[in-house]
């Protein structure tokens, strides 16, 4: 058959004039976290809205014309629509927290937030799980706060896989195509109405991509799409699947995301002062910004990199080395050889940027190492994960103690409004006032949760649990029908779970370290718990394993097989195809949110934060965010934060701890009722959970922290180094060259201090240090005394650093002096070190040069 050219045309829904504002609402995803806007679209056709993944665009394309004509004369609907439109207009045009708080920087600051995925809403399936949903919540809070921020990612034709299970409970994957016409995508066009294109160079060809925009409240999210006629058929598939394909597909996607993302912003006329790389996938963005500065301003690599590093932030999410992308040097040559030549540096210097040990020819090129080395700030996503990350990447700074490795932490949060049940939101409106939305980080506001009558909170929660059970029954019935189950089994699905029973939820990515089957380690003990006639317990599971993770798939299969056993059949269910709608039902409806990873492998975890906002109580290993969140009364901790080397022993110990918690605490507390039928002790814990966790673990607090620790300092440092024709950047680059040449000669010649003598509290400990500066001046170094109490191993457990004052030169050395006050009694120790010092360094540890005495 001969190829035929196909002419296309578009058919749009014919909305009556009065209903035209529905288009405006549908194309701004602000609607998805505004309960009144969601209710408006549901009002058009509730069943269809549910069936179409709550997509307003698909809804408006699918509703019969007669229904629109009917709504155009429905005064109640029109008043509702006008109210929602007025709320959107007020939101978009009103004053913002950012402009009021950072008035000096409000105009100049521009942040671009790069992430491989963004989970805004289930109707836009370009996300896989926690990383994407966090990125989506980041954008929502940035919008609420008025940050001048945009998102950058890719528009996947197939997105992440859809999950279904075969008869044995083994995960299968399917990849339905996204219909771009039925997504709230706005094409970026030039003045002639032509799609704006950008391109990247891949081996032997140029790959082009167009740019779509999703409007997320005030924040634009730009999505890159290579599926255009300008590309070869194979290249059109680069933006096909999220996390699909092999290692070659991964590097091509990361080139398009990082290098292509910067070029897309340039094509749109945007030049951000700060780029935030969410995980190492986007690390090539920093290199492209350096290349542009070299080309546009005729600079050398050293000077350009100083400026770009100043305006770059990096967040790592992965607490295991294997989870960080790395490529062989041969792949770097293959895909980036031409690009390296444009940076004006040789191959070895380029490869060193991605290696912890630059001289190790066998070490692969790590995207995380590249991101760390080219960033002004780097952080993990919880306090514990920050500590794990400092240990993981310490060898980038081999002479530094692990505690001083310059990787901080900003604990994740969730966008509270996106995850609250509408009924809980209405309760908060009544008893907390509207300030809970406007000031979600104010503890005083959340203390008012205590004013909510116990009966009202409990009945509201029970309705959410009933809604969850109804969803589970409908989903399980559909799963069984799809699998060809017998009619009796399908009919039995209508009776699974008990709307009044203690309901525990476990939903997340199924990776082996998350131990989705831990609860079933002793099936007999669990069966006794679940089937107690007076105090029944039930479990709802959901989640996906990565298509190539057979260990994760085996976990799912084991949970499904357990759910099919006669003693568990009515008490345990696994819901297929976990996505944001299922997540919302679960965090809103469960009584307890279970999390039992192997510590310290959970970087943060955010699902428990979503549950907490709805009054669901966390029962978790002390890992990730729960180390910071748990206070003894706002949930339950499994174990005491121990870490094990024998994994089987760990599973045994922690499964027993889990059973004992359920038998002795959870179940009795839930089922101990007053004369009015209310579990008063449980409700007190619910209220404690909400009042202590919600004001801390939300993305408004998180984004404000990113502003304070990362965005504003990086913006100001970027502007300072770029000012006056990059004078200070060139000076800093030149100083680094001088530093590298001089540092091998820097040494501590001698230390004069009291030795072995007894000192008294209230006295002083004097010290004099002779340092050979190797040609550096005294103001180019910071000579520090590190002192503190000694532990049982003779080490300084928590050293404090005191900078010494330079005195007169003494021959070839310079003398530095200082005194330490003796405020405490005990056995102390000290050491002396020399660090480089420059006014424009982000921190003294960044060069990785330390000379110890």
């Amino acid at each position: 058959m001969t190829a035929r050219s196909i002419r296309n045309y578009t058919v749009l829904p014919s909305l009556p004039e009065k209903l035209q504002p529905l288009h405006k609402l549908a194309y701004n995803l602000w609607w998805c976290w505004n309960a009144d806007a969601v209710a408006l679209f549901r009002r058009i056709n509730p069943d269809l809205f549910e069936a179409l993944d709550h997509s307003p665009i698909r809804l408006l394309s699918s509703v019969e014309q007669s229904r629109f004509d009917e709504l155009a004369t429905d005064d109640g609907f029109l008043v509702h629509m006008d109210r929602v439109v007025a709320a959107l207009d007020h939101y978009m045009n009103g004053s913002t927290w950012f402009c009021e708080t950072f008035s000096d920087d409000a105009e100049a600051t521009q942040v671009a937030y790069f992430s491989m995925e963004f989970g805004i809403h289930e109707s836009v399936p370009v996300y896989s799980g926690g990383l994407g949903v966090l990125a989506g919540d980041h954008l929502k809070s940035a919008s609420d706060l008025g940050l001048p921020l945009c998102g950058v990612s890719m528009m996947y034709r197939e997105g992440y896989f859809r999950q279904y299970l075969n008869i044995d409970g083994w995960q299968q994957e399917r990849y339905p195509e996204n219909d771009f016409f039925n997504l709230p995508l706005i094409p970026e066009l030039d003045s002639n109405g032509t799609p704006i294109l950008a391109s990247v160079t891949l081996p032997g060809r140029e790959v082009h991509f167009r740019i779509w925009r999703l409007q997320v409240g005030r924040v634009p999210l730009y999505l890159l799409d290579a599926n255009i006629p300008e590309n070869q058929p194979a290249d059109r598939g680069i933006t096909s699947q999220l996390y699909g394909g092999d290692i070659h597909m991964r590097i091509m996607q990361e080139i398009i995301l990082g290098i292509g993302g910067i070029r897309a912003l340039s094509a749109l006329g945007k030049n951000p002062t700060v780029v935030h790389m969410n995980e190492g996938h986007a690390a090539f963005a920093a290199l492209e910004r350096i290349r542009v500065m070299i080309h546009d301003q005729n600079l050398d690599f050293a000077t350009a990199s100083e400026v770009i590093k100043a305006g770059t932030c990096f967040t790592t999410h992965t607490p295991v080395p294997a989870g960080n992308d790395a490529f062989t040097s041969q792949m770097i040559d293959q895909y980036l050889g031409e690009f390296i030549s444009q940076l004006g540096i040789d191959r070895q210097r380029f490869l060193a940027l991605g290696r912890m040990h630059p001289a190790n020819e066998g070490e692969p090129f790590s995207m995380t190492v590249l991101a760390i080395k080219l960033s002004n700030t780097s952080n993990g996503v919880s306090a514990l994960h920050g500590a794990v990350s400092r240990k993981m990447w310490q060898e980038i700074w081999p002479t530094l103690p692990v505690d001083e490795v310059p990787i901080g932490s900003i604990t994740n949060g969730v966008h509270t409004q996106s995850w609250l049940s509408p009924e809980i939101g209405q309760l908060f409106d009544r008893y907390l006032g509207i300030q809970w939305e406007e000031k979600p980080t104010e503890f005083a506001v959340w203390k008012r949760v205590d004013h909510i009558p116990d009966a009202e909170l409990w009945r509201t929660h029970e309705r959410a649990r009933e809604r969850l059970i109804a969803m589970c029954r409908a989903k399980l019935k559909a799963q069984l029908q799809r699998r060809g189950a017998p009619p009796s089994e399908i009919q039995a699905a209508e009776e699974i779970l008990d709307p009044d029973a203690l309901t525990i939820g476990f939903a997340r990515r199924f990776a082996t370290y998350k131990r989705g089957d831990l609860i079933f380690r002793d099936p007999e003990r669990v069966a006794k718990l679940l089937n107690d006639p007076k105090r029944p317990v039930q479990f709802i599971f959901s989640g996906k394993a990565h298509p190539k993770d057979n260990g994760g798939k085996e976990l799912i299969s084991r949970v499904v097989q357990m759910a099919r056993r006669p003693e568990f059949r009515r008490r345990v269910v696994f819901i297929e195809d976990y996505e944001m709608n299922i997540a919302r039902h679960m965090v809103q409806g469960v009584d307890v949110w279970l999390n039992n990873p192997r510590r310290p492998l959970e970087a943060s975890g955010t699902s428990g934060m979503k549950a907490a906002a709805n009054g669901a109580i966390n029962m978790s290993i002390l890992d990730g965010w729960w180390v910071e969140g748990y206070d003894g009364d706002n949930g339950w901790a499994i174990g005491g934060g121990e870490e094990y080397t024998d994994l089987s022993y760990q599973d045994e110990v922690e499964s027993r701890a889990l059973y004992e918690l359920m038998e002795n605490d959870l179940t009795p507390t839930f089922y101990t009722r007053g004369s009015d039928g209310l579990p008063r002790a449980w409700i007190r814990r619910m209220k404690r959970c909400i009042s202590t966790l919600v004001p801390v673990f939300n993305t408004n607090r998180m984004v404000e922290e990113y502003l304070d620790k990362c965005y504003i300092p990086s913006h100001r440092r970027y502007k300072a180094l770029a000012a006056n024709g990059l004078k200070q950047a060139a000076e800093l680059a030149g100083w680094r060259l001088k530093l590298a040449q001089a540092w091998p000669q820097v040494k501590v010649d001698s230390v004069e201090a009291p030795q072995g003598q007894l000192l008294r509290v209230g006295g002083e400990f004097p010290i004099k240090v002779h340092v050979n500066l190797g040609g550096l001046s005294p103001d180019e170094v910071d000579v520090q005394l590190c002192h503190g109490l000694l532990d049982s191993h003779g080490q300084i457990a928590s050293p404090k650093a005191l900078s010494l004052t330079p005195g007169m030169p003494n021959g070839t050395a310079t003398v530095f002096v200082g005194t330490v006050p003796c405020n405490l009694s005990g056995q102390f120790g000290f050491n002396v070190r020399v660090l480089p010092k420059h006014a424009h360094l982000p921190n003294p540890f960044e060069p990785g040069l330390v000379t110890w005495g």
Side-chain angles (χ1 to χ4, degrees):
M1 183 181 291
T2 57
R4 298 174 181 174
S5 63
I6 297 175
R7 301 184 183 186
N8 57 22
Y9 60 94
T10 302
V11 180
L12 296 171
S14 180
L15 287 178
E17 186 65 30
K18 288 184 178 180
L19 300 183
Q20 287 299 319
L22 290 174
H23 271 305
K24 175 181 175 180
L25 292 172
Y27 277 88
N28 189 324
L29 283 157
W30 166 87
W31 69 264
C32 77
W33 71 89
N34 183 282
D36 204 22
V38 175
L40 175 71
F41 286 116
R42 179 172 276 115
R43 187 170 177 171
I44 295 172
N45 187 322
D47 294 336
L48 192 57
F49 188 59
E50 198 70 33
L52 296 175
D53 293 326
H54 310 105
S55 167
I57 305 293
R58 293 172 66 191
L59 180 72
L60 297 181
S61 300
S62 304
V63 170
E64 294 181 357
Q65 193 64 42
S66 59
R67 176 58 177 157
F68 286 136
D69 295 338
E70 184 183 319
L71 290 171
T73 60
D74 183 337
D75 289 344
F77 181 84
L78 295 175
V79 168
H80 189 172
M81 181 185 70
D82 290 344
R83 181 173 72 241
V84 174
V85 171
L88 174 60
D89 289 341
H90 175 75
Y91 178 88
M92 296 295 287
N93 301 317
S95 63
T96 68
W97 171 88
F98 177 80
C99 286
E100 293 170 1
T101 309
F102 293 94
S103 55
D104 292 343
D105 295 288
E107 289 298 318
T109 307
Q110 295 291 326
V111 181
Y113 182 85
F114 281 64
S115 182
M116 199 77 160
E117 52 173 306
F118 282 88
I120 311 292
H121 187 257
E122 63 267 20
S123 63
V124 189
V126 291
Y127 64 93
S128 73
L131 178 73
V133 173
L134 172 79
D137 281 8
H138 193 113
L139 295 195
K140 292 173 185 176
S141 278
S143 172
D144 290 345
L145 294 167
L147 265 69
L149 179 144
C150 67
V152 180
S153 189
M154 289 189 283
M155 186 59 227
Y156 302 101
R157 192 171 75 244
E158 296 172 359
Y160 201 51
F161 72 91
R162 305 300 296 267
Q163 177 199 57
Y164 66 99
L165 305 180
N166 67 14
I167 194 70
D168 298 318
W170 191 259
Q171 174 182 290
Q172 307 287 301
E173 297 90 26
R174 60 189 179 90
Y175 293 87
E177 286 205 10
N178 284 322
D179 180 357
F180 284 24
F181 176 72
N182 280 316
L183 293 172
L185 295 171
I186 302 164
E188 288 294 338
L189 309 174
D190 63 19
S191 56
N192 299 318
T194 305
I196 295 174
L197 301 183
S199 68
V200 297
T201 302
L202 291 179
R205 78 273 191 199
E206 198 77 4
V207 175
H208 302 267
F209 49 87
R210 68 176 302 182
I211 307 162
W212 300 93
R213 172 165 52 91
L214 282 175
Q215 195 64 38
V216 186
R218 300 181 177 101
V219 169
L221 168 57
Y222 299 110
L223 301 169
L224 315 180
D225 173 20
N227 184 28
I228 57 176
E230 288 81 356
N231 291 327
Q232 301 171 16
D235 290 337
R236 294 180 68 163
I238 294 175
T239 55
S240 217
Q241 292 178 6
L242 172 59
Y243 306 133
D246 59 12
I247 192 73
H248 291 274
M249 179 61 75
R250 178 60 64 88
I251 196 171
M252 289 191 289
Q253 287 189 335
E254 294 184 357
I255 287 170
I256 287 182
L257 175 64
I259 297 173
I262 294 297
R263 293 180 184 180
L265 292 176
S266 178
L268 296 170
K270 294 182 176 292
N271 181 26
T273 57
V274 177
V275 166
H276 182 180
M277 303 180 298
N278 189 41
E279 198 58 287
H281 307 129
F284 291 139
L287 290 172
E288 171 61 10
R289 294 177 78 201
I290 292 171
R291 186 199 66 80
V292 170
M293 186 160 273
I294 289 170
H295 178 270
D296 290 354
Q297 303 199 38
N298 194 29
L299 299 174
D300 57 68
F301 179 85
T303 304
S305 64
E306 291 295 349
V307 184
I308 298 308
K309 281 163 62 177
T312 305
C313 307
F314 170 59
T315 298
T316 176
H317 294 260
T318 311
V320 288
N324 293 267
D325 287 346
F327 306 108
T328 64
S329 55
Q330 291 80 11
M331 286 186 69
I332 296 297
D333 292 337
Q334 179 183 353
Y335 287 95
L336 292 162
E338 184 180 330
F339 184 86
I340 294 171
S341 67
Q342 296 172 19
L343 295 175
I345 57 175
D346 61 27
R347 176 180 181 271
Q348 287 307 112
R349 188 173 174 189
F350 183 88
L351 291 174
L353 292 170
R355 290 174 172 165
M356 284 201 286
H357 312 95
N360 182 357
E361 290 291 331
E363 184 178 335
F365 186 92
S366 166
M367 296 296 283
T368 301
V369 173
L370 176 66
I372 290 171
K373 287 187 175 182
L374 292 182
S375 292
N376 189 45
T377 64
S378 298
N379 68 277
V381 289
S382 69
L384 179 59
H385 180 234
V388 170
S389 299
R390 287 189 287 276
K391 190 174 181 181
M392 272 179 65
W393 306 111
Q394 181 186 12
E395 290 179 43
I396 300 175
W397 302 271
T399 54
L400 272 186
V402 66
D403 290 344
E404 292 182 319
V405 166
I407 299 175
S409 67
I410 294 176
T411 302
N412 283 344
V414 298
H415 187 256
T416 307
Q417 285 173 264
S418 292
W419 300 102
L420 275 186
S421 77
E423 295 86 355
I424 288 283
Q426 289 164 13
L427 264 190
F428 290 168
D429 285 344
R430 280 201 296 279
Y431 294 100
L432 277 64
I434 60 170
Q435 285 187 313
W436 74 268
E437 293 183 68
E438 297 173 356
K439 299 179 180 178
T441 60
E442 295 274 345
F443 274 95
V445 171
W446 291 100
K447 283 297 292 178
R448 296 177 197 160
V449 166
D450 291 336
H451 300 162
I452 301 175
D454 286 357
E456 207 167 342
L457 178 60
W458 187 244
R459 302 305 173 214
T460 301
H461 174 66
E462 286 191 312
R463 283 196 293 276
R465 192 195 310 123
E466 289 164 3
R467 202 162 50 239
L468 168 62
I469 302 304
M471 181 210 72
C472 288
R473 289 172 174 174
K475 293 277 188 186
L476 186 60
K477 190 174 178 181
Q479 288 172 202
L480 293 169
Q481 287 172 334
R482 199 163 45 241
R483 228 176 279 151
S488 59
E489 194 176 344
I490 294 171
Q491 189 174 351
E494 295 178 356
E495 298 177 7
I496 56 110
L497 304 178
D498 179 351
D500 297 317
L502 171 58
T503 303
I504 299 175
F506 181 99
R508 53 187 41 83
R509 181 168 60 91
F510 266 73
T512 51
Y513 77 86
K514 293 177 186 279
R515 299 188 294 181
D517 64 342
L518 185 68
I519 189 67
F520 297 115
R521 190 168 177 88
D522 186 342
E524 291 182 12
R525 192 169 178 181
V526 146
K528 189 177 177 182
L529 260 170
L530 269 57
N531 294 304
D532 186 317
K534 293 183 179 178
R535 304 190 307 191
V537 180
Q538 58 198 13
F539 281 88
I540 301 172
F541 291 87
S542 192
K544 297 176 177 178
H546 188 279
K548 295 178 182 176
D549 181 7
N550 285 334
K553 290 183 177 183
E554 286 171 6
L555 273 181
I556 291 173
S557 181
R558 280 203 291 275
V559 171
V560 171
Q561 296 299 335
M562 282 290 177
R564 291 176 182 170
R565 287 170 64 155
E567 64 268 37
F568 296 136
R569 193 176 292 274
R570 290 190 64 244
R571 298 293 182 204
V572 180
V573 296
F574 184 94
I575 303 301
E576 291 178 9
D577 203 26
Y578 186 52
E579 38 76 43
M580 290 177 78
N581 182 44
I582 292 173
R584 257 197 311 277
H585 276 83
M586 288 189 67
V587 299
Q588 292 170 8
V590 298
D591 301 297
V592 174
W593 195 259
L594 175 63
N595 186 37
N596 45 228
R598 287 195 177 98
R599 176 184 161 119
L601 299 181
E602 186 75 89
S604 176
T606 53
S607 55
M609 303 174 190
K610 298 160 192 165
N614 289 281
I617 302 172
N618 279 269
M619 176 170 60
S620 176
I621 296 288
L622 285 167
D623 197 8
W625 78 283
W626 193 233
V627 179
E628 301 163 61
Y630 176 63
D631 71 359
D633 296 318
N634 60 358
W636 286 278
I638 304 167
E642 302 87 357
E643 295 177 19
Y644 299 79
T645 53
D646 185 334
L647 301 186
S648 179
Y649 178 68
Q650 179 179 8
D651 292 350
E652 182 65 27
V653 169
E654 292 179 342
S655 63
R656 286 183 185 178
L658 177 54
Y659 298 142
E660 286 165 11
L661 266 179
M662 292 174 62
E663 291 164 348
N664 301 326
D665 210 336
L666 261 79
T667 309
T669 306
F670 183 85
Y671 283 105
T672 301
R673 307 292 170 102
S675 57
D676 53 5
L678 297 177
R680 298 283 181 180
W682 188 276
I683 295 169
R684 278 198 301 275
R685 199 175 282 255
M686 286 176 69
K687 290 182 176 180
R688 176 77 181 168
C689 161
I690 294 170
S691 65
T692 60
L693 299 177
V694 181
V696 179
F697 298 100
N698 66 75
T699 42
N700 276 45
R701 184 273 311 156
M702 181 189 84
V703 171
E704 287 177 23
E705 209 170 328
Y706 273 109
L707 263 172
D708 183 52
K709 293 182 178 179
C710 305
Y711 297 166
I712 294 299
S714 296
H715 163 76
R716 289 173 178 168
R717 188 163 174 258
Y718 173 89
K719 298 300 284 186
L721 291 181
N724 302 318
L726 291 93
K727 178 183 176 183
Q728 292 175 344
E731 177 195 319
L732 181 56
W735 177 80
R736 281 190 196 270
L737 184 62
K738 173 187 175 184
L739 186 69
Q741 294 169 344
W743 200 259
Q745 284 75 52
V746 173
K747 64 178 180 178
V748 176
D749 287 339
S750 63
V751 178
E752 298 176 22
Q755 187 172 355
Q757 68 184 70
L758 296 175
L759 302 170
R760 300 290 179 183
V761 173
E764 289 186 331
F765 177 81
I767 187 164
K768 184 183 293 185
V769 181
H770 299 256
V771 182
N772 187 327
L773 298 179
L776 297 174
S777 65
D779 59 0
E780 291 178 301
V781 297
D782 186 12
V783 178
Q784 295 181 341
L785 176 73
C786 297
H787 63 99
L789 278 166
L790 294 178
D791 61 20
S792 59
H793 302 289
Q795 301 297 314
I796 304 173
S798 300
K800 296 178 181 177
L802 172 72
S803 292
L804 303 180
T805 304
M808 297 297 293
N810 182 8
T812 59
T814 300
V815 177
F816 291 79
V817 297
T819 57
V820 181
C822 299
N823 296 324
L824 298 171
S825 61
Q827 188 172 24
F828 291 80
F830 75 89
N831 204 340
V832 173
R833 68 182 178 193
V834 186
L835 295 168
K837 184 168 73 173
H838 192 281
H840 296 298
L841 277 180
N843 63 74
F845 305 118
E846 185 260 354
L849 300 173
V850 185
T851 294
W852 291 90

